[in-house]
Amino acid sequence: MIEIREPANKEEFNAYYNLRYEVLRKPWNQPPGSEKDDKEDESIHFAAFENKKIIGVCRLQYNNETEAQIRFMAVNPNTQGKGIGKKLLYAAEKRALNDGKKIMILQARKNAVNFYKACGYTIKEKTFLLWNEIQHYLMEKKLNIIIY
């Protein structure tokens, strides 16, 4: 069974950041530490646990009174395709909606665009090319109703 919740202690946070690094940074030879930014302490962190092991992560941050943003979404490659990303996304959207946010935005890597479209997001614009290699797209979803 998959449990979605915030990491609760230093050990869980270490595993949380390690998964972010292993999936989102290491394959592109980025240094350890690049999986974090200056908004970690003011953000809400979600992790997917299976048998006490973290297999997926995402971060929710609030940009203003109405807008929330998903950042650093990653699922262990060995567990992709099992609905873990959708569960993480739903948990973050539900929290943002409960906190009064109306819109969720995110920067999707090209290979994840169809996943986000299936979850109700639309492309707003083609944005940046990370490390001259990974195209990103700004995507958005109105949070008035969340259906999965």
Side-chain angles (χ1 to χ4, degrees):
M1 184 167 145
I2 307 298
E3 177 187 17
I4 307 295
R5 63 174 173 81
E6 294 181 58
N9 56 48
K10 185 177 179 178
E11 180 180 288
E12 289 181 354
F13 267 105
N14 286 341
Y16 168 91
Y17 288 119
N18 185 62
L19 181 62
R20 273 180 27 181
Y21 174 72
E22 290 291 326
V23 174
L24 301 174
R25 297 298 189 258
K26 187 177 180 181
W28 290 272
N29 298 313
Q30 297 304 303
S34 63
E35 74 282 2
K36 296 180 183 181
D37 68 16
D38 62 350
K39 303 248 187 241
E40 300 300 337
D41 291 341
E42 61 193 63
S43 297
I44 302 162
H45 304 270
F46 293 92
F49 291 81
E50 184 177 52
N51 300 322
K52 299 184 181 181
K53 182 179 178 188
I54 293 179
I55 56 171
V57 298
C58 79
R59 189 181 87 184
L60 174 64
Q61 69 183 50
Y62 296 152
N63 296 335
N64 57 46
E65 292 298 314
T66 59
E67 184 184 86
Q69 183 173 359
I70 296 291
R71 305 261 342 259
F72 300 105
M73 174 84 126
V75 175
N76 182 314
N78 297 328
T79 59
Q80 289 179 1
K82 297 181 179 180
I84 295 158
K86 189 180 276 191
K87 288 178 183 188
L88 284 163
L89 200 56
Y90 175 76
E93 289 172 354
K94 184 177 177 184
R95 175 69 179 268
L97 185 61
N98 287 343
D99 288 346
K101 305 306 174 196
K102 305 294 183 198
I103 296 170
M104 182 73 79
I105 66 166
L106 53 84
Q107 289 285 346
R109 293 179 179 199
K110 185 177 181 178
N111 67 331
V113 166
N114 287 336
F115 163 75
Y116 290 113
K117 281 182 176 180
C119 293
Y121 287 77
T122 58
I123 294 176
K124 300 308 286 181
E125 64 182 339
K126 185 177 183 178
T127 54
F128 61 94
L129 191 63
L130 185 64
W131 307 310
N132 294 317
E133 195 173 342
I134 308 169
Q135 184 62 58
H136 280 69
Y137 296 84
L138 175 62
M139 299 186 79
E140 176 182 279
K141 181 179 181 179
K142 291 185 179 18
L143 294 178
N144 52 356
I145 299 174
I146 298 172
I147 300 172
Y148 283 104

